[in-house]
Amino acid sequence: MIPRFLPRLRLQVRTWPRRVLILTDTPRPTCPECEGEGAIGYDCCDPETGEYIDTDWEPCTCWDETRRWVLLRLPRRPWRTPSGYSAEPPF
């Protein structure tokens, strides 16, 4: 049996709170609702004046931004060490 939906995975480096390499899901590029953006935008207007305020984004069902896995913790970059190497694991 072939699953209806296959994850579209990619690698990313996150720098906060610590540098890590993560595997994350991406929006479906052929989604008819969001057209591969991962969210549907709609304009917000001031109810009193009717002027444009901002664009709000509603997440699309083709993508779950919380689906991510940490693969590897990366060492911090040594900025001012004489040897130029980090002593933090992993080596």
Side-chain angles (χ1 to χ4, degrees), residues 2 4 17-18 24 40 51-52 65 69 77 83 89 91:
I2 297 174
R4 228 178 58 164
R18 179 168 166 84
T24 183
I40 302 162
E51 292 183 17
Y52 171 79
E65 66 179 323
W69 301 272
R77 297 184 76 172
S83 65
F91 296 103

Side-chain angles (χ1 to χ4, degrees), residues 31-57:
C31 178
E33 293 178 23
C34 69
E35 299 173 350
E37 293 291 323
I40 302 162
Y42 57 93
D43 296 332
C44 295
C45 296
D46 187 357
E48 293 178 7
T49 62
E51 292 183 17
Y52 171 79
I53 297 175
D54 199 6
T55 302
D56 279 347
W57 294 91

